[in-house]
Amino acid sequence: MRIAAIAVMAALLMTAMPTTANAYNLSVTVTVNGSTEPVANAVVFVDSAEQAAPVSAEIYQKNRAFHPHVLVIPVGSSVDFPNRDNTQHHVYSFSPAKTFNIELYADRPAAPIIFDKPGVVELGCNIHDHMQGFVIVTDTAAAGQTDASGQVTLAIYPKGTEGSQDKVALEIWHPRLPDNTRPVTREIERGSEPAIVTLELEPEPAAEGSLDRLQQRFREL
């Protein structure tokens, strides 16, 4: 009886755990629509049974810019915003995924910001209008950024029976999307690797004044 009970318990545990038997690597190349120009630093992610553990990260300010310009983190992660400039900054966001306001400061804020919901978080500085940054918060471990050749490889752990589906839905984001408040979705045929997807992108913004609309929205709050 004891052996039978142990066998039943083991079977229940196996069915409760996400299966990784159908795990696979997905290679994606992102290019500009209508050309073969690669898109570097595009964020690509896929819904997956695996979720990455929260991390501690930082976005520092130097030469009146955010570094890195785009940070990709798992949901629940904390981000510090140290100021390495010789001037004060006022970092804020009013994005739905995370609204916060770090008033005028030098050196380092008293506490990091916890990003507890997935989504696109746009950063600004209320003192320097041209400063812009993004935090992309994901709820999947299958996430990454394209390299200089526009390529990224993701490890996919399908949910339930999703591994048998013919199509894979990619979520893709880039700061120069016409609407960069959310990713775009591209469906690809599973097994048609390397997958090539295209994006419509806005021209590179000017170094100064690129946050005029964001600054205006902040003042209207």
Side-chain angles (χ1 to χ4, degrees), residues 42 54 57 60 64 70-71 95 100 113 127 137 148 152 155-156 166 170 186 197 209 219:
Y60 66 90
R64 299 185 181 185
V70 176
L71 176 68
S95 298
F100 67 92
I113 303 297
I127 306 302
V137 189
V152 65
I156 311 295
D166 295 330
L170 302 176
R186 297 285 187 270
V197 296
R219 290 170 177 168

Side-chain angles (χ1 to χ4, degrees), residues 114-161:
I114 307 298
F115 291 82
D116 50 5
K117 291 193 298 185
V120 177
V121 181
E122 185 177 8
L123 309 174
C125 175
N126 196 34
I127 306 302
H128 307 99
D129 293 7
H130 69 278
M131 288 179 62
Q132 183 185 43
F134 296 91
V135 180
I136 312 303
V137 189
T138 68
D139 56 2
T140 172
Q145 284 181 273
T146 56
D147 59 19
S149 62
Q151 298 181 343
V152 65
T153 299
L154 306 177
I156 311 295
Y157 294 85
K159 287 184 174 180
T161 60

Side-chain angles (χ1 to χ4, degrees), residues 62-134:
K62 184 67 175 177
N63 297 325
R64 299 185 181 185
F66 290 111
H67 304 272
H69 179 57
V70 176
L71 176 68
V72 184
I73 55 172
V75 68
S77 296
S78 62
V79 179
D80 202 5
F81 290 87
N83 182 355
R84 298 178 185 170
D85 269 326
N86 57 6
T87 184
Q88 293 183 317
H89 291 295
H90 181 159
V91 179
Y92 69 93
S93 172
F94 49 85
S95 298
K98 189 65 182 183
T99 300
F100 67 92
N101 186 37
I102 309 176
E103 295 188 358
L104 204 63
Y105 72 98
D107 193 28
R108 185 178 294 270
I113 303 297
I114 307 298
F115 291 82
D116 50 5
K117 291 193 298 185
V120 177
V121 181
E122 185 177 8
L123 309 174
C125 175
N126 196 34
I127 306 302
H128 307 99
D129 293 7
H130 69 278
M131 288 179 62
Q132 183 185 43
F134 296 91

Side-chain angles (χ1 to χ4, degrees), residues 15-28:
T15 57
M17 294 173 62
T19 178
T20 60
N22 294 323
Y24 61 97
N25 288 334
L26 176 65
S27 296
V28 179

